Every structure is written in structure tokens, then in C-alpha cells.
Amino acid sequence: PVPGTPGISRSPLERLHVAVHFTRVLLVFYSLFSLRNEVRHLMQAAVSGNRRRFIDSRFDLDLTYIADRLIAMALPCIAGASYRNDIHVVSRFFTHR
């Protein structure tokens, strides 16, 4: 029986219908999250212009190595401006390097 409605039970087809809708909603949220990341990367590339970016498998940062142990970059962003380097990503970068 369906909660709150005595005597009514859902058929397997109705349960499948609900499961399909739930899955579609999850896919929409995933697509929106992926789109947000793509827009952020496009904005970062546009702001960087013709300057070089540091890109590897874990990081995509607006910074340049001047020498082996000397890096040039703008101040990282703490909150808000998604086109700047995120402070948490910069921190991870320096932890791993």
C-alpha cells in the first residue's frame, strides 16, 4: 500500500515509472554541475588571454613557472570570482609540488 492512502498499492510499472523519473532528475543535476565546471573553465581561459596556464591531470591554474622554484600568479580567490584561481586548489597545488 502507498503510505497515507489505505488500500492502494503501486504496480511494478508505476514503481519503474517513478524510478525512471528519479534517475532523470539525477542526470539533470549532474549535467548542470558539469556545465558549471565547463563555463568556469571557459571564463578562466578568457581571462587568462594569451598568457600561459599550468595544466596537468589534477590542476588548471593561471600561473607560470619563471624558474624551477619561482612561480608567478595573481592572488587566489577565496570566494566569488570563479575565473580566478581558487585558494583551495592553489593550496593543494603547493602541497603536492
Side-chain angles (χ1 to χ4, degrees):
V2 175
T5 54
I8 297 177
S9 63
R10 292 186 188 231
S11 70
L13 186 59
E14 287 175 320
R15 281 187 256 145
L16 177 63
H17 182 77
V18 170
V20 167
H21 278 288
F22 181 73
T23 304
R24 288 178 68 192
V25 167
L26 288 178
L27 287 173
V28 166
F29 280 119
Y30 177 76
S31 297
L32 289 174
F33 181 75
S34 297
L35 181 63
R36 188 186 98 195
N37 286 337
E38 288 179 34
V39 168
R40 182 172 49 85
H41 287 297
L42 288 172
M43 286 176 49
Q44 287 175 336
V47 169
S48 293
N50 61 356
R51 294 185 306 239
R52 295 178 57 192
R53 296 185 64 81
F54 179 85
I55 300 172
D56 76 356
S57 62
R58 294 177 294 194
F59 304 105
D60 180 6
L61 295 170
D62 186 11
L63 63 84
T64 301
Y65 274 94
I66 297 173
D68 287 343
R69 297 179 52 88
L70 184 61
I71 295 175
M73 67 179 277
L75 290 175
C77 175
I78 294 174
S82 62
Y83 56 88
R84 304 271 306 269
N85 293 333
D86 184 85
I87 187 75
H88 302 294
V89 177
V90 172
S91 174
R92 264 195 351 222
F93 173 78
F94 285 119
T95 301
H96 287 94
R97 287 281 168 172

